[in-house]
Amino acid sequence: LEGLAYELSSARYTQPEGCRPAMNAYRCEGCIRICFELAGVQRADIDLRIEPRRVLLRGTRRTPEPASSRPQQILALEIDNGPFAREVRLPAEVIPEQVTAEQRDGLLWIELPLRLTS
């Protein structure tokens, strides 16, 4: 019975349509840099696709729970969880094959080299 009560109480806090991670974007010399806030998201749960004029980010953030014991009651559940997606239209064409990404301190940094036009 305790397990059922826990499942029912946590179900009403889930994000049915997913969430949109916060983002900062910068145009720098020779590139565009984008930073997504992805605290608590494992690298294996991220799907990143780069096209010449857009970035597509999808994934899943699992609900963080105490590791030592199962909660008896949820007092607050404010951290977004479940599937997320974000599409960013780029103001200039980038070179998808040269994109680099680094995940650190709960942030995903993406560097998108600009395609030089003559």
Side-chain angles (χ1 to χ4, degrees):
L1 188 58
E2 181 182 302
L4 178 60
Y6 171 74
E7 294 299 321
L8 290 174
S9 66
S10 63
R12 57 178 214 206
Y13 291 105
T14 58
Q15 303 287 330
E17 298 300 318
C19 57
R20 288 174 38 126
M23 169 196 84
N24 290 349
Y26 309 91
R27 186 167 187 156
C28 303
E29 187 175 336
C31 71
I32 294 173
R33 289 197 175 115
I34 300 175
C35 178
F36 289 103
E37 187 280 313
L38 294 179
V41 179
Q42 301 299 312
R43 186 174 299 197
D45 294 331
I46 298 171
D47 178 24
L48 179 64
R49 298 181 192 266
I50 309 295
E51 297 175 1
R53 287 288 214 156
R54 72 179 182 160
V55 173
L56 299 165
L57 174 71
R58 292 188 181 99
T60 302
R61 177 180 289 149
R62 299 174 190 179
T63 305
E65 294 184 344
S68 60
S69 64
R70 183 177 212 159
Q72 294 177 336
Q73 180 182 20
I74 296 173
L75 302 174
L77 201 59
E78 296 180 358
I79 299 172
D80 288 335
N81 63 79
F84 60 83
R86 192 78 196 251
E87 177 179 348
V88 180
R89 299 266 178 198
L90 301 172
E93 193 169 315
V94 299
I95 308 169
E97 303 79 30
Q98 295 180 8
V99 170
T100 59
E102 178 184 14
Q103 189 178 11
R104 69 180 190 285
D105 300 328
L107 302 172
L108 175 64
W109 283 94
I110 306 165
E111 183 170 314
L112 305 129
L114 292 170
R115 185 171 304 278
L116 300 176
T117 56
S118 324

